[in-house]
Amino acid sequence: MADLAVVFHWQPDFMDTLSLSELMEWRERARKRSGVED
């Protein structure tokens, strides 16, 4: 997911090891850290 790569500088191979629920949790953290509102 591009937002995780941009905010946390993660490579796709690292994100491939995460479950879908973990990805969604980290995506929410990335959204909060970026300061972007819905």
Side-chain angles (χ1 to χ4, degrees):
M1 296 170 74
D3 47 356
L4 296 177
V6 169
V7 173
F8 298 117
H9 307 285
W10 290 353
Q11 299 296 318
D13 58 334
F14 174 75
M15 290 184 277
D16 285 345
T17 65
L18 300 174
S19 69
L20 181 58
S21 60
E22 288 173 318
L23 283 171
M24 296 309 296
E25 289 173 16
W26 280 104
R27 184 175 185 273
E28 178 61 15
R29 292 177 188 174
R31 185 191 65 78
K32 288 178 182 177
R33 182 178 279 194
S34 72
V36 174
E37 296 295 324
D38 289 336

